[in-house]
Amino acid sequence: MPPAGPASSHPAAPHRLPAEVAHGPRNGRQVALTFHGAGDPKLAQRLLHELAAGGAHVTVLAVGTWLDQNPAMARLILDGGHELGNHTQHHANIDAMSPAAAHAEIAQCADRLKRLTGSRGAWFRPSQTQHATPMVKAQAAKAGYPTCLSYDLDSTDFRDPAPGTVTRTVLDGIRPGSIVSMHFGHPGTLTAMPAILDGLAARRLSPVTVSRLLAS
């Protein structure tokens, strides 16, 4: 992985991607674990420690208000070799907004990222929806994100099932190229992470950032 820093921690998105991407190449051995960046920062720090112990690099889509409340998390994420992207300013239902309001949600979070890290990040994920509508795609592109980041595997960890359920959901559903949706701030996700990383290793799947996955 490249060294962390404002310039190198946000690799440019690969050229000629579609307006939305849900998975990477199926013929490789890489996957991307992606995290909703919100919740208890202490749980997030412990999760980052587990990822480091397992040699995993991930993509965190941060909520702007969370960055406002926990600005040190931005550098902690990047210094761990992970990448940081945009998950709107307030995590409201972006599909229900006017185009102007949706653009403001994206642009405000982008401004937070730029101020904290020197980059808006390569990726934007819409809030409270798996797939971006044409309106959201257009507003994301206007804000500097030509590709919206979806996923093909939902861990459903936000429902706080037992840690073993989180582990099984991920390991039973993952395939080469998968982009997995997970969340900071949930104890079950933290508890499940060592078993998830061990299971990926047993399947010879490497957890990498979205930018690295899509560049492969």
Side-chain angles (χ1 to χ4, degrees), residues 31 33 153-155 163-176 178 180 182 192-205 207:
V31 296
L33 304 181
L153 177 56
D154 188 349
S155 70
T165 300
V166 177
T167 300
R168 287 192 297 274
T169 298
V170 173
L171 296 182
D172 288 352
I174 205 159
R175 303 168 54 192
S178 282
V180 187
M182 306 191 78
M193 192 51 56
I196 289 172
L197 296 180
D198 286 347
L200 294 178
R203 291 161 172 75
R204 297 187 298 112
L205 294 172

Side-chain angles (χ1 to χ4, degrees), residues 143-154:
Y145 301 96
T147 296
C148 293
L149 182 62
S150 184
Y151 49 89
D152 66 321
L153 177 56
D154 188 349

Side-chain angles (χ1 to χ4, degrees), residues 1-4 8-9 11 55-58 80-83 207-212:
M1 294 295 296
S8 62
S9 296
H57 295 97
V58 305
H82 311 295
E83 67 180 348
V208 299
T209 64
V210 169
S211 290
R212 182 169 175 184

